[in-house]
Structure formats: structure tokens, C-alpha cells
Amino acid sequence: MTSLSAQWLDRDRRRLILEQSAIPDTIYGILTAACALFIPALVIAIAVAIFAAAWPAFAKLGLSIVTSSDWDVAAGHFGAAPAVFGTLVSSAIALVIATPLAIGVAIFLSEFSPAWLRQPVGFLVDLLAAIPSVVYGLWGIFVLIPLLREHVMPFFRDTLHLGSTPFFSGAAYGPSMLAAGVILAIMALPYISAVSREVLMAVPRSQREAALALGATRWEMIRDAVVPYARSGIIGGIMLGLGRALGETMAVTMVIGNRPEISASLLAPGYTMASLIANEFSEATNDLHLSALMAVGAALFVITLIVNGIARWLVWSVSRARAK
Amino acid sequence: MRALKVTALMLLAVACAKENASNSNTASSTATTSGSVDLTGAGATFPYPIYSKWFSDYAAQKGVKINYQSIGSGGGIRQLSEETVDFGASDSPMSDDEMSKAKGGPVLHIPTVLGADVVTYNVPGVTAPLKLTPEVIAGIFSGNIKKWNDTRIASLNSGVTLPSSDILVVHRSDGSGTTYIFTDYLSTAVPSWKASIGKGKEVKWPVGIGAKGNEGVAGQVKQTPGAIGYVELAYAKQNNLPIAAVRNQAGQFVVASVAGVTAAAAGVAKSLPENTDYRLSIVNAPGADSYPISSFTWLLVYKQQKDAAKGQKLVDFLNWALTEGEQSASSLDYAPLPTDMAAKVKARVATVSLSGAK
């Protein structure tokens, strides 16, 4: 009997010792540190591998890979400037369309929506992110492109008389920079809206109540108290959407027309860096061709880094401006 | 306390090692299951439907399993060169440079079946097959002929009402054997094409839009009034696309068919030297029935097989493919080799050395 109680006592003491000791913390610390270091190590490993594979092309062709517009595999010319241009322009179109829409959705859901509508609408918007990109591409070919060709493009060109401006000139065949931008906008939208919605909902009640107490209307409250508070988070969401747009491959390849030419017209076909790699990699046998495709990949990597850097800087400067 | 910490770390390390070990266990067990596959190959996507039929028929008849990955001709050549597969497959012959880089020594090109490209179009109001000459096809795809009612097209198609609309050229955006055959044909038949654009799995197209895969090109052409593009014969037949009749070397307008493609191979086979390595182009072949935009597709095997048992299985399969396999080709819209040519190719298969000696 005494031995049993002693045992109990012993067990309690042991548990106490374990709970007070630093061992679980240490193990946990090591595990999380391993996770945290693994990801940067992976990024660095990928970057090293890409740049190593791209090196022969950079050594031979230099920066002309991203500055020249002549991509002619048979002749051994590798100038991917049209693809760089296409990547940047299609992503820019996507953000111009997606940002106001996504923020509108987010503001409605966090500020105006009745509770019963909030869940289903939010769910459906989030669902856009779960659709595979090849499905977007198919939808683009069979629904979006005919719609653009028969209604939207003639509207811009003829009804609004924008056909004389360089941005809407030329024949409208359907597959175009505009089609790519619209597809990318739909794909980027759920990312921007989901992040913005969460950030807006996290704005403290007191912030809203203070604005209302000062006599602000609902609109003024949102404009002056809620959105500025959430601004850096919203920018983060936009950058996440931009990252999605820059790297998207399949859907864009299916609707952009894959034409390596720089054209100011949104109705003209274009090309993106990711599409170029996806299109040509599997059949590339020539060493320089392979290396040039890797170089395009490396350039895309750098562009993504720069864009992320700009995003960081924006978030930082916005939060600093608010702190002042 | 310190000792405890160390023990905990060691436990963690052991756990990690165990994790790794179990991972590598699963990896090696999948390797053993794939070890029951007798031969592995990789390469061209274009002949994949007929190859996969062959491999499954062959496994059913002879019990020899062949694993084939249709990763594209380029990947097939790379993997063969690195000796990671037992055979490769390609829609375009390897260049001398690629041959010299192959690590396993000399590579034999074994033609298996033939494929063809057809010109498909979407011209409202046109029902009968359009007639086209190589010069007109080159003119359209290089952007010199811009309207459907251009006299160069109209003069070939008297009695057909052609619209005055713009022509939209649709070409492949991905590197492909289909593009190689098409540009090889135009380079052979039209000197100005050779000088300005040339041939390759991807070329610099002066006009038009690029679409991915046969289905991409066909989809774009179907949807866009005034569009023209090129796709594989098998794909076009299975999807009932409108197909142009193309004028061959003998001056006849021929609509692509399995028989016309085999006729083209027979036309070229007549003038073959005895010691050919079968890296042949048969575009613009002679013969009244020959369809001019056609090509072989090849299996690539090393002349010196390092593993005698595997080598024997490979040779047996090739002989089977060149006799029994050929008979099922046309059921999937691939053209079989002409019979006398298949016999000559078998003689070439017989030169594969199983000893491994160089």
C-alpha cells in the first residue's frame, strides 16, 4: 500500500520534472528550426540548379536572352524579350481587373453582407482558387475567347472608337494578351479577395465605432478607418495574386496565342516566359536551346524576386507612413 | 540533465534516420515492382497510341512487359543517350551530332510506322476538299497570301466560292514532330521556304498564332472562321476535320489516307541504297498516289546491347512489331511500312549485337 502511494508520488514527481524541464521546448525548437531552414535551403538549391543549367546560354549569348526579340530555334537565336514583355503585361492587366473586383468583394463580405450570404459567397470566391488551370484554359478557349472576339473586342474597337489607338488596333482573332489578362485576373482574384477579407475582418471594432462616433457615414468609416488600417495586408494579398499571375503557365498558353512578338495592341497574340518554357522544353534536344530555356527560367525567377522585393518595400513604406 | 538532452537528440536523430530508411525502403520496393517490367523506353508522343497497343498485345502474347513513357522525342533521345532507357523513340531522326553524343555507341534507327500531316481549315461555305499546291501552302503559312479569295488559291479551286476574309494561320506552339514534318515538306518542295524559314520542331513563324498540341490547333481552327492549320492525319480522321487535297510531286491532288502515306514510303523505298541507315525523309515522295506530307517515326536502339538477355527481348519485340504489329497499324490510322521495306528493316534489326563487345 505504501509502496503504491510512493509509486504514485514518484510518477507525479517525474511528470513535474518533465514539465519543468526544457527538453520538450528544445525538441520543438529544433523541429521548427529544421522546417524553417529547409524551405530557404530548397529555394537556394533550386536557384543554384537553374542558374547552373542556364550558365552556358548566358556565357554564349549574354543578356541578349532577355533583351533581343528574335527567338528562332532553327537559326540558334534565343531572344526572349517578347516573353518577358508578355509576362509583365498580362500580369499587369490581370491586376488592373482583379484588384478592384477582389477588394470590392472583400469589403462587401466584411462590412455589408448579411450573415447568411457571407459564408456561401466567400466559399464560392475561394473555390475559384481550387479550379485546375487547365480547366481555366479550356473555358478560355471555348467560352472566353469567342465572347471576346465577337462582343468585347468589337465593342472596344468600334463602339468606343479605340481601334485607332495602338492599344486596340489590328485584327481581333481571339487569342490575345487581353484574353490572357482576363484569365489571369479570374485566377488571381480569389487570392486577393481571401487575404483582403480576412484582413478587413481583423480590423478592431473600436476602430469602426470611433469613426461612427465622430459622425462618419458608413462609407466614410470604411474609407477612412477600416481600409487604411488594413492597407498593408491588402497589398500583401495583391502581391500574392501577382505571384500567381506571373508564374501561371497552362491556362495562359492556351489563350495567349503564343506569338513571340512585342505588340502594343491588347488584341494581338503574345507570349509569356512560363509558356515558352512549357511549350519548348520537352522537345528541346540541342544543348544551347535547353540552356536558353533554363536562362528564361532564371530570368523569371529574378523577376519574381524583384516583384516580391517591391511588394515588401510597399508594405514597409505603407506601415511606416501610418506609424508617423 | 545534459545527458537527457543528448539522449533526446539522439532519439530524434534515430527517428529521422528511421524515417529516411523507411522512405528508401518504399523507393526500393517500387523499384522491384517495376523490375518485373522487362524493357523500358521513352520518347515520341505521336506514335504513342499504336505503341501502347503493341506493348499490351505483345505482353498478352509473349508475356514480355514493356514500359513506355511518351515524354516527347527530345526527351527520348536524351534518355537513350544517357542510357537510362533500353530504347528511345523519335519523330525526327537524330542528327550526327546527337548520334556522336550517345553514350552507348552507335544508334540504329528502326522505322516502325508512318504518320502524315494534313492541312485543315475553316472556310465558311466551302464543303468539297480545297485543293492546294506546296507553293500556295508556303505562301499562306509565310503570310504572303493573306485573303481566302487570293487568285493563287482561287485558280486551283474553280467552282468554289471563296470568301474575301483574312486568313488566320494557326501553328503549333510546342516543339513537335508534327511541325518538323510540315516544315521539312515545305523546305523540300518550296526553295523560298527553305531559305527564309527552314525546318525544325519549332520554327520562327512569320504570321499567325500558336496553339498547344493537335487538339489546340484543331480547336482554334474549328472556332475561328477563316483559320487554317496543320494536324496529324490520325487526329484529323478521328475528329472528322475538313482536309485539303495537296498536289504531290507527280502533279496529282491527293487527300491524305493511310494508303497514300504507305505509297509515299514505297515511292522512296525504290531508290534506297542498300546500306541506308533509314534516317530518311519521305516528304514530297514520287509516285502518283503518294501523299506528300508524311514521315517515318523511329525506334532508337543501340547496335551493341550490353545486356544480352534484354537485348534479345528487344530484338524479338522489334521483329514482332515489324511483322504482326504492322498489321494493326491502320486500325489506329497509322500507315504501315511497305512489306518489302519491313523485310529490309528486319535485316537491319538482325545486325544488333548481343555480345556487348565493342
Side-chain angles (χ1 to χ4, degrees):
Chain A
M1 196 64 196
T2 44
S3 72
L4 192 66
S5 67
Q7 237 174 31
W8 276 111
L9 194 73
D10 199 32
R11 207 166 124 179
D12 278 354
R13 193 181 296 146
R14 265 203 315 230
R15 187 183 288 161
L16 206 66
I17 290 169
L18 193 67
E19 274 169 9
Q20 284 176 343
S21 83
I23 295 168
D25 278 1
T26 314
I27 295 174
Y28 192 63
I30 290 170
L31 276 175
T32 49
C35 292
L37 292 180
F38 177 68
I39 303 299
L42 201 62
V43 173
I44 291 168
I46 291 172
V48 168
I50 291 177
F51 278 92
W55 182 246
F58 278 123
K60 182 143 191 223
L61 304 167
L63 280 179
S64 75
I65 288 173
V66 287
T67 54
S68 154
S69 300
D70 183 18
W71 186 274
D72 185 344
V73 178
H77 298 159
F78 299 102
V84 177
F85 172 82
T87 295
L88 295 175
V89 171
S90 61
S91 300
I93 298 172
L95 284 196
V96 166
I97 300 173
T99 305
L101 257 175
I103 294 178
V105 169
I107 289 178
F108 173 76
L109 289 180
S110 71
E111 308 298 326
F112 294 102
S113 170
W116 61 269
L117 200 59
R118 187 173 295 159
Q119 282 278 340
V121 171
F123 174 73
L124 286 176
V125 172
D126 291 352
L127 200 64
L128 283 178
I131 297 175
S133 61
V134 65
V135 175
Y136 276 110
L138 284 175
W139 178 82
I141 289 180
F142 291 111
V143 181
L144 179 68
I145 285 182
L147 190 79
L148 288 177
R149 184 178 57 228
E150 269 137 46
H151 302 289
V152 179
M153 287 176 175
F155 172 76
F156 277 118
R157 211 177 37 182
D158 306 326
T159 317
L160 296 182
H161 299 291
L162 291 172
S164 52
T165 66
F167 303 113
F168 292 94
S169 61
Y173 292 120
S176 55
M177 198 68 98
L178 182 65
V182 172
I183 281 271
L184 287 175
I186 300 170
M187 298 177 85
L189 191 138
Y191 293 85
I192 305 176
S193 96
V195 172
S196 305
R197 189 180 70 217
E198 294 306 317
V199 173
L200 287 173
M201 297 221 283
V203 173
R205 247 185 111 74
S206 56
Q207 190 84 3
R208 296 189 171 89
E209 282 166 358
L212 291 175
L214 289 173
T217 63
R218 207 167 189 192
W219 160 240
E220 285 166 342
M221 167 199 87
I222 293 167
R223 195 190 57 193
D224 299 330
V226 177
V227 171
Y229 194 91
R231 197 185 287 147
S232 65
I234 292 174
I235 291 175
I238 295 172
M239 290 304 144
L240 198 62
L242 178 59
R244 169 84 167 141
L246 285 173
E248 176 49 40
T249 308
M250 195 62 196
V252 173
T253 305
M254 290 165 84
V255 301
I256 200 169
N258 302 303
R259 179 148 196 75
E261 229 170 54
I262 294 180
S263 165
S265 174
L266 297 180
L267 308 185
Y271 220 151
T272 68
M273 300 166 88
S275 314
L276 178 64
I277 299 170
N279 271 325
E280 300 200 349
F281 195 77
S282 67
E283 288 291 336
T285 36
N286 169 326
D287 287 341
L288 186 62
H289 186 193
L290 265 178
S291 182
L293 290 173
M294 281 299 192
V296 174
L300 184 57
F301 198 89
V302 170
I303 287 178
T304 316
L305 277 184
I306 292 173
V307 166
N308 270 305
I310 293 173
R312 294 252 150 196
W313 177 80
L314 265 178
V315 171
W316 174 79
S317 59
V318 163
S319 50
R320 204 180 56 144
R322 207 181 51 218
K324 268 185 183 171
Chain B
M1 191 64 219
R2 202 184 162 76
L4 261 179
K5 220 183 217 173
V6 172
T7 339
L9 274 176
M10 279 173 67
L11 273 175
L12 194 69
V14 170
C16 286
K18 233 179 181 171
E19 181 84 357
N20 283 340
S22 68
N23 279 346
S24 59
N25 273 345
T26 46
S28 63
S29 70
T30 46
T32 22
T33 31
S34 67
S36 71
V37 167
D38 300 292
L39 294 169
T40 56
T45 48
F46 154 66
Y48 178 65
I50 183 68
Y51 284 177
S52 68
K53 179 175 164 53
W54 283 357
F55 297 145
S56 76
D57 287 358
Y58 194 65
Q61 287 179 24
K62 314 276 173 175
V64 174
K65 286 185 191 140
I66 301 171
N67 177 3
Y68 182 75
Q69 299 159 359
S70 59
I71 55 173
S73 303
I77 291 173
R78 276 204 300 277
Q79 292 216 6
L80 183 79
S81 300
E82 297 296 322
E83 300 187 287
T84 50
V85 290
D86 302 315
F87 63 91
S90 179
D91 294 336
S92 55
M94 288 169 77
S95 63
D96 291 339
D97 186 40
E98 285 163 352
M99 300 264 278
S100 67
K101 280 181 188 156
K103 286 183 181 163
V107 175
L108 294 183
H109 283 65
I110 310 294
T112 50
V113 290
L114 296 121
D117 281 7
V118 299
V119 175
T120 182
Y121 50 83
N122 177 351
V123 188
V126 174
T127 45
L130 274 181
K131 292 177 181 167
L132 299 172
T133 61
E135 291 75 22
V136 166
I137 297 175
I140 292 172
F141 280 86
S142 61
N144 292 326
I145 299 177
K146 294 184 167 62
K147 300 266 184 199
W148 277 108
N149 62 355
D150 190 290
T151 49
R152 284 167 284 186
I153 305 177
S155 63
L156 297 172
N157 296 281
S158 51
V160 178
T161 329
L162 290 161
S164 62
S165 55
D166 285 340
I167 297 176
L168 171 67
V169 169
V170 184
H171 54 78
R172 289 284 287 269
S173 61
D174 47 335
S176 85
T178 312
T179 301
Y180 182 85
I181 296 169
F182 191 68
T183 52
D184 185 22
Y185 166 64
L186 291 176
S187 294
T188 309
V190 185
S192 64
W193 181 279
K194 188 176 186 180
S196 59
I197 296 164
K199 63 177 176 182
K201 287 176 195 161
E202 53 271 293
V203 295
K204 193 178 182 190
W205 297 96
V207 287
I209 59 171
K212 195 167 161 61
N214 282 302
E215 65 287 359
V217 172
Q220 202 67 62
V221 170
K222 255 186 188 169
Q223 276 199 28
T224 320
I228 188 168
Y230 58 92
V231 293
E232 280 160 9
L233 168 64
Y235 186 85
K237 288 194 83 167
Q238 281 148 21
N239 291 282
N240 292 318
L241 303 176
I243 294 175
V246 181
R247 193 169 75 188
N248 65 16
Q249 210 189 38
Q252 302 292 316
F253 285 95
V254 184
V255 176
S257 67
V258 165
V261 177
T262 301
V268 171
K270 274 183 204 150
S271 54
L272 274 186
E274 273 309 309
N275 59 346
T276 176
D277 64 357
Y278 290 99
R279 287 194 288 162
L280 301 169
S281 162
I282 58 160
V283 292
N284 211 23
D289 301 326
S290 299
Y291 181 72
I293 321 178
S294 41
S295 165
F296 292 116
T297 181
W298 292 267
L299 286 179
L300 309 170
V301 298
Y302 281 118
K303 192 170 164 62
Q304 259 95 33
Q305 292 291 319
K306 288 182 178 159
D307 178 334
K310 269 191 175 181
Q312 186 62 50
K313 280 179 183 168
L314 189 55
V315 167
D316 289 346
F317 168 72
L318 290 173
N319 281 320
W320 179 90
L322 289 166
T323 35
E324 292 174 48
E326 294 292 330
Q327 287 158 21
S328 59
S330 56
S331 67
L332 291 176
D333 294 308
Y334 292 90
L337 299 181
T339 1
D340 52 337
M341 188 174 189
K344 283 186 189 164
V345 175
K346 270 199 264 181
R348 186 151 174 85
V349 171
T351 66
V352 170
S353 146
L354 302 173
S355 61
K358 298 222 167 168

